[in-house]
Amino acid sequence: MPKIRVSEAARFLGVSDDTIRRWTENGTLEPHKDSSGRLAVDGLELAHLARKQAQHPDDPAQVVSSARNRFVGLVTGITADTVMAQVELQCGPFRVVSLMSSEAVRELGLELGSIATAVVKATTVIIETPQGKSIV
């Protein structure tokens, strides 16, 4: 399994480097050393912890849907003309942008600072990795 440096692990989980170090000291994560002798953690163990630690805000829509990719966030931007609009949501550390009709913006009551859910249902999802480069 890949070993991930403390600073990268902290960035992936949205915590401080000190928090990752505390977790290695108290047994939440098993400490390892990378090839340079720096403190690192196991990638699989970090992935399990990330899933366990994830806190998703309640979805205000409370609907049943086949779409599994639901991002609850705050409306941070609306650019609209008479026909179309671009709506930006900040969902935790992620920015989600949607293009929709201006009519839909009005019907949904979207305004800056309101809570909304971005629902993503796609047949194509592209995953990239730095080929040949190690995170550690």
Side-chain angles (χ1 to χ4, degrees), residues 43-108:
L44 180 59
E45 188 180 3
L46 186 66
H48 288 304
L49 181 63
R51 187 171 277 196
K52 181 180 173 185
Q53 295 283 330
Q55 294 181 356
H56 302 284
D58 290 334
D59 189 340
Q62 297 180 349
V63 297
V64 178
S65 173
S66 65
R68 296 294 178 247
N69 302 310
R70 303 174 66 81
F71 304 96
V72 178
L74 293 172
V75 176
T76 57
I78 299 174
T79 304
D81 62 20
T82 55
V83 178
M84 293 300 296
Q86 174 180 303
V87 178
E88 296 180 36
L89 298 181
Q90 192 65 39
C91 305
F94 304 104
R95 176 179 170 252
V96 179
V97 179
S98 176
L99 299 177
M100 64 184 73
S101 68
S102 295
E103 178 182 27
V105 171
R106 290 188 298 275
E107 287 177 359
L108 291 170

Side-chain angles (χ1 to χ4, degrees), residues 2 13 20-21 42 55 76 84 87 100 109 118 128 135-136:
L13 294 186
I20 298 294
R21 286 187 191 90
D42 179 80
Q55 294 181 356
T76 57
M84 293 300 296
V87 178
M100 64 184 73
E128 299 176 335
I135 295 176
V136 289

